Amino acid sequence: MGGAGGKSYMGWWGNMGSPTQRGVVTYLLSPFEQKPFAGALHNAIFNTARRTASQVPYVGVAFGIGYFIYSSANAKHAYLTSKAGHAEAEGH
């Protein structure tokens, strides 16, 4: 009645005797894209060190001013809570 007549070899996958397909696009990856994290740890360490070193002048100046204010305030507080500081405060 209209059925296929037995099993016959049509060819290897992709080459089965049919008309060639059109509009099929093939993409390839370069070796650099196949290893997206190649050198990432190395670059991260040195990039972080470079960026941190570039911020040291700004952070260092602010830290130095803050430490000077803190140490001056501690010294004045220690003086005012001492016997000499109490004696000076009573003179006002």
Side-chain angles (χ1 to χ4, degrees):
M1 292 216 197
K7 295 187 178 194
S8 64
Y9 181 71
M10 293 179 60
W12 190 244
W13 180 256
N15 188 18
M16 296 188 179
S18 64
T20 58
Q21 294 184 357
R22 295 174 185 231
V24 176
V25 180
T26 304
Y27 294 97
L28 298 175
L29 286 176
S30 73
F32 298 106
E33 290 178 288
Q34 291 177 2
K35 296 179 182 179
F37 292 109
L41 184 61
H42 177 268
N43 293 339
I45 290 171
F46 287 103
N47 191 34
T48 302
R50 179 188 57 82
R51 291 176 68 173
T52 302
S54 70
Q55 293 298 314
V56 166
Y58 304 107
V59 176
V61 169
F63 180 79
I65 292 171
Y67 183 76
F68 174 74
I69 293 171
Y70 175 77
S71 61
S72 299
N74 268 350
K76 184 163 183 158
H77 175 72
Y79 174 72
L80 291 176
T81 57
S82 68
K83 191 173 187 178
H86 284 292
E88 181 186 330
E90 288 177 7
H92 284 121

